[in-house]
Amino acid sequence: MKLTEFSAVDFRNLRRLRLAPNPQFNIIEGRNGAGKTNVLEGIFLLSSLKTFRPGKNKDLVRFGTQSGEVRAVVEHQDTTRTIRISISPKGRRVWIDGKLVRSAASALGQLTAVLFAPEDLSLTKGSPSGRRRFLDRAIFNRWPGSLDAVKRYESALKQRNALLRTDGSDALLEVFDEQLARAALRLSQWRQKYIGIFHPILEETMQLITGGDLRTTVMYEPSRLADTHDQWVDIYRKNRRQDRARKSTTAGPHIDDICLLLNDRSAKLYASQGQHRALVLALKIAEIRLLKQELGYAPVLLLDDVSSELDARRNAQLTTFLNSEAFGGQVFITTTDRSWLDFDSKSTCFRIRDGDTSEH
Ligand SMILES: Nc1ncnc2c1ncn2[C@@H]1O[C@H](COP(=O)(O)OP(=O)(O)OP(=O)(O)O)[C@@H](O)[C@H]1O
Ligand SMILES: [Mg+2]
């Protein structure tokens, strides 16, 4: 899967930008604030219809303008598709090959992109919400249809919490518990299924990265164990009194975590600084390897300035992986200084200045 063209008009600080990407490595170089991350954000938006930074539609269009757009031409297994997203304060609209797409779901899966950003470096140390986001995003890339389960759960949870806040009736809560239970079962099944495939790949990746001196385990750590709809209904029903007191739903997939162990000890509690970095790198590389194994092709990889956060050894390992046959995908890397990057002739460098670009 490759982007052969990317353009942005009045998207963030990109006034009118157009790139003809290299099929392999694309280095996006420029000073702080030049617009490098904005380019990645535009590509990410085309893949998931969402941005990875907080931003309403009015924040996404260039200051002082009313509308903007991002567009990409994607080549994948002998087909070429053009995806365009137009943004205005009223909403986002998706066009595929010039046709307006009615349901967003059918636009998903046209472009698979994995993002690795500096925030990811706190994945193993930080709060469970970061790990849930990582997991749900990884599941979405593997099975775009899973997004529906996430959305349904989020909306059922919101409704139930609103009812708890307003002391709604038991009869209504009963209806919402049913809805939530249905969504909880589906979401936790996606998560379980993903971790089952992910675990051996992560273990192997970590061995490659650390030279095999650490045994890595990843486990799904659900807030409650339940395998059937009725069990979920039961959990929500039993928690009702407590949930009413706290005015929010205290158990369910929104409190799940993934547990990472190094030599059987919690990485979160015991891993060293260097082990954390190795593990984060392994999580990302394993996510990509899983997609390649399961889908048969590598996703487009977006690397946002990670070189400055990883140490020299991890940078070298990342570069080796990216150059290897095992990956073979297209990469977009932002950096303020490309001297550390070693991709020889397979790369194109785009210099970004004030949202504008020159190729060299
Ligand atoms: N809607 C918008 N309109 C115009 N400019 C915007 C908008 N949203 C953000 N910007 C500006 O875009 C600029 C570039 O942002 P970006 O995050 O892409 O920079 P960067 O090149 O990645 O910098 P760094 O190296 O510091 O990460 C910022 O100065 C920001 O203020
Ligand atoms: Mg940036």
Side-chain angles (χ1 to χ4, degrees):
M1 180 172 279
K2 313 253 141 105
L3 253 74
T4 54
E5 214 183 295
F6 171 76
S7 61
V9 178
D10 292 336
F11 176 75
R12 298 278 195 192
N13 79 334
L14 312 174
R15 186 184 292 268
R16 197 166 273 277
L17 173 130
R18 190 172 180 155
L19 310 179
N22 186 295
Q24 284 185 292
F25 298 106
N26 296 278
I27 300 161
I28 300 167
E29 190 189 25
R31 291 195 187 159
N32 297 126
K36 304 181 296 298
T37 302
N38 293 343
V39 173
L40 299 194
E41 190 179 23
I43 299 174
F44 189 90
L45 180 66
L46 287 159
S47 94
S48 63
L49 316 183
K50 287 207 283 197
T51 65
F52 55 78
R53 304 199 268 199
K56 301 207 170 74
N57 290 326
K58 71 168 176 40
D59 306 317
L60 296 183
V61 299
R62 196 165 61 80
F63 300 146
T65 59
Q66 282 304 307
S67 60
E69 68 164 57
V70 281
R71 184 175 163 279
V73 178
V74 180
E75 270 185 22
H76 179 50
Q77 294 169 342
D78 303 332
T79 52
T80 305
R81 288 243 147 82
T82 305
I83 316 168
R84 180 163 83 90
I85 299 187
S86 65
I87 307 151
S88 75
K90 282 197 211 118
R92 293 172 198 173
R93 291 204 288 177
V94 186
W95 313 70
I96 292 179
D97 292 337
K99 286 199 200 80
L100 181 66
V101 175
R102 297 267 162 229
S103 92
S106 56
L108 297 169
Q110 305 287 344
L111 172 62
T112 313
V114 169
L115 170 77
F116 189 0
E119 299 80 71
D120 290 321
L121 288 153
S122 57
L123 207 56
T124 55
K125 276 192 242 181
S127 66
S129 63
R131 286 183 290 279
R132 279 195 299 274
R133 221 173 306 123
F134 165 78
L135 182 60
D136 289 343
R137 169 82 200 163
I139 299 172
F140 162 75
N141 267 337
R142 170 61 189 92
W143 299 287
S146 67
L147 188 68
D148 184 55
V150 177
K151 289 240 157 98
R152 275 174 201 265
Y153 186 78
E154 278 171 359
S155 108
L157 183 67
K158 222 166 149 183
Q159 283 184 324
R160 187 177 190 267
N161 285 343
L163 194 71
L164 291 168
R165 273 197 303 276
T166 54
D167 286 325
S169 71
D170 263 351
L172 206 49
L173 208 50
E174 191 84 18
V175 177
F176 286 6
D177 284 359
E178 277 284 330
Q179 264 182 25
L180 196 59
R182 202 169 311 123
L185 180 65
R186 282 187 61 211
L187 183 52
S188 57
Q189 282 173 338
W190 281 119
R191 288 178 175 171
Q192 233 157 7
K193 187 169 165 185
Y194 186 85
I195 296 288
I197 308 173
F198 187 62
H199 181 205
I201 302 177
L202 179 70
E203 208 177 350
E204 194 185 281
T205 307
M206 193 61 178
Q207 273 186 352
L208 293 174
I209 286 179
T210 60
D213 53 2
L214 281 170
R215 193 172 55 257
T216 313
T217 315
V218 55
M219 288 184 303
Y220 178 41
E221 209 170 57
S223 87
R224 287 287 189 287
L225 270 176
D227 295 325
T228 65
H229 174 73
D230 290 347
Q231 284 173 351
W232 274 113
V233 173
D234 215 38
I235 288 168
Y236 292 127
R237 200 173 283 152
K238 280 201 180 115
N239 281 353
R240 224 177 254 177
R241 184 199 292 258
Q242 179 187 340
D243 290 358
R244 277 196 185 280
R246 300 225 188 140
K247 298 197 184 297
S248 84
T249 306
T250 51
H254 60 293
I255 301 169
D256 285 355
D257 199 353
I258 43 178
C259 171
L260 291 151
L261 305 176
L262 294 180
N263 286 346
D264 302 325
R265 289 218 165 80
S266 156
K268 187 174 177 176
L269 298 177
Y270 300 110
S272 70
Q273 206 52 275
Q275 288 169 337
H276 274 294
R277 281 202 207 106
L279 191 53
V280 168
L281 183 59
L283 282 167
K284 282 287 158 182
I285 292 182
E287 182 191 352
I288 295 163
R289 290 179 67 202
L290 182 148
L291 287 173
K292 189 142 189 216
Q293 173 186 306
E294 298 285 306
L295 302 175
Y297 58 85
V300 170
L301 178 60
L302 310 173
L303 290 175
D304 194 14
D305 210 16
V306 273
S307 59
S308 55
E309 305 291 330
L310 291 173
D311 52 29
R313 190 158 150 234
R314 301 296 167 224
N315 264 318
Q317 283 171 332
L318 179 60
T319 316
T320 306
F321 169 72
L322 298 179
N323 273 309
S324 72
E325 288 277 315
F327 174 61
Q330 189 181 34
V331 191
F332 291 80
I333 307 173
T334 70
T335 183
T336 47
D337 171 18
R338 71 174 155 137
S339 58
W340 73 277
L341 294 165
D342 183 16
F343 297 124
D344 13 303
S345 56
K346 295 180 289 187
S347 70
T348 306
C349 182
F350 300 96
R351 248 198 100 70
I352 307 270
R353 256 182 76 187
D354 295 333
D356 224 332
T357 178
S358 61
E359 186 180 324
H360 68 119

